[in-house]
Amino acid sequence: MKLLGIETSCDETAIAVVSDGKRILSNVVSSQVKLHAQYGGVVPELASREHVQAMVPVLDEALRAASAEVEDIDAVAVTHGPGLAGALLVGLNFAKALAFALSRPLIGVNHLEGHLYAAWLERDDEPGFPALALIVSGGHSDVVLMEGHGQYRRLGETVDDAAGEAFDKVARLLGLGFPGGPAIERLASEAAAPSSRLPRARLERPYDFSFSGLKTKVQRIVRGEEDEAPSRAALAAAFQESVVDSLVTKAVQAASDSGACEIILSGGVAANSALRSALAGRSPVPVIVPPPALCTDNGAMIAAAGYRRLISGETAGLELDIEPGLRIG
Ligand code: KG4
Ligand code: ZN
């Protein structure tokens, strides 16, 4: 069964053709990053306009790369939240029009669930439950217990900035481009050693995160308001180390407290190699991490999550609406 996965929640126009929720026949991502980089972050109105222009060419390319005709598509899965309202609307309306014209089922997918299901793309095994998921992206830092397909319990979340947002903000403080995550990772790799240890937030709820104090600390160092004056690379490395340590410590703790049999790491920040290797090194259970290109936003993950919903009969009608504030668990 071939599913089309459509993703437009932020600044990538992405469409994939995926067979049986696992095999990627094509996965086309048209990134708007250059457009937004000049403003230092995503400009919602520009994102919507770019999505409108990119939808048809991206669909054509996704079908061509999959050697498929549009009539070969068996169902249309689309992100309906969370994300930017205008951006989500473009993808959702496009998906509805396609599903209606082709008389195929429409499936609304939670973007965060898409990040999770990216973990089983191109793998033969099935998830082991309960699984502990760490979803870290530009908009979310969630610790979620996945008790079965579609069954989630949110154990922790960020109380302020998301991990990716912290990378993006600190990158700006260090005069680096947007998106900040890859730029910080590159700069940090140039440091001989991290500067002195930066703080880790202590929070009431054991699996919650906070990154705004860390960001303020970096800001004070950059402005010369602290005693230390490390190199930019050493500061980037110390920042990355602090974020990675917080994420890994809490995910590992949550996994052992909940008896999880594996940890799934996903979302754009999961492309970070320091995070990937620290989690693999410290986790007491197997860690499943998609390859970096499937960690950042893409259509294949939406088709993968959509397939699960489809086979359990959860299709949507044309009244399906966007849910910009949708959560998981
Ligand atoms: O999942 P994603 O592509 O979009 C959202 O759903 O938000 O995540 C984008 C976020 C950005 O904040 C970006 O800076 C971060 O993921 N990111 C990284 C890396 N690659 C992307 N953060 C740290 N290290 C990376 N290598
Ligand atoms: Zn995402």
Side-chain angles (χ1 to χ4, degrees), residues 231-314:
S231 70
R232 282 162 73 251
L235 188 52
F239 164 77
Q240 180 174 269
E241 186 183 77
S242 174
V243 174
V244 166
D245 185 40
S246 298
L247 294 175
V248 171
T249 301
K250 300 200 173 183
V252 166
Q253 189 63 51
S256 33
D257 292 350
S258 58
C261 56
E262 57 194 30
I263 295 182
I264 301 155
L265 172 63
S266 196
V269 181
N272 185 281
S273 45
L275 174 59
R276 298 162 79 93
S277 57
L279 186 59
R282 286 171 54 188
S283 173
V285 290
V287 176
I288 301 180
V289 199
L294 296 177
C295 288
T296 48
D297 292 350
N298 65 86
M301 69 184 201
I302 302 306
Y307 178 75
R308 274 288 155 196
R309 298 258 162 213
L310 179 67
I311 57 176
S312 43
E314 295 172 58

Side-chain angles (χ1 to χ4, degrees), residues 111 115 137-139 164-165 167-168 179-182 185 267-269 271-272 295-297:
H111 179 85
H115 274 305
S137 71
E165 190 181 358
F167 269 95
D168 294 337
E185 181 170 5
V269 181
N272 185 281
C295 288
T296 48
D297 292 350

Side-chain angles (χ1 to χ4, degrees), residues 127-209:
F129 298 125
L132 192 283
L134 176 63
I135 310 173
V136 273
S137 71
H140 296 269
S141 301
D142 290 326
V143 175
V144 175
L145 191 66
M146 187 176 181
E147 293 167 316
H149 288 294
Q151 292 179 313
Y152 308 105
R153 197 143 54 88
R154 185 159 16 100
L155 303 179
E157 62 201 313
T158 181
V159 299
D160 40 55
D161 293 345
E165 190 181 358
F167 269 95
D168 294 337
K169 287 179 174 169
V170 165
R172 211 172 306 154
L173 289 174
L174 294 174
L176 301 169
F178 171 84
I184 293 215
E185 181 170 5
R186 262 192 310 276
L187 183 60
S189 71
E190 292 167 17
S195 64
S196 62
R197 193 176 190 277
L198 293 178
R200 278 80 165 141
R202 275 204 204 89
L203 294 146
E204 237 168 74
R205 285 172 20 116
Y207 316 124
D208 279 352
F209 306 107

Side-chain angles (χ1 to χ4, degrees), residues 37-157:
Q38 53 190 312
Y39 303 101
V42 178
V43 183
E45 290 80 0
L46 294 183
S48 312
R49 205 169 66 194
E50 286 291 306
H51 286 309
V52 170
Q53 286 169 355
M55 292 307 308
V56 173
V58 170
L59 174 65
D60 285 346
E61 175 62 16
L63 291 171
R64 197 197 54 73
S67 302
E69 302 292 327
V70 74
E71 293 79 18
D72 299 335
I73 298 303
D74 297 301
V76 181
V78 60
T79 304
H80 72 118
L84 301 170
L88 288 166
L89 269 175
V90 177
L92 179 58
N93 286 334
F94 189 80
K96 281 184 188 176
L98 263 180
F100 180 70
L102 295 168
S103 303
R104 299 289 194 274
L106 175 72
I107 307 139
V109 172
N110 180 327
H111 179 85
L112 299 168
E113 191 175 28
H115 274 305
L116 280 185
Y117 276 87
W120 293 285
L121 277 163
E122 297 292 340
R123 287 176 68 106
D124 292 324
D125 56 345
E126 292 294 319
F129 298 125
L132 192 283
L134 176 63
I135 310 173
V136 273
S137 71
H140 296 269
S141 301
D142 290 326
V143 175
V144 175
L145 191 66
M146 187 176 181
E147 293 167 316
H149 288 294
Q151 292 179 313
Y152 308 105
R153 197 143 54 88
R154 185 159 16 100
L155 303 179
E157 62 201 313

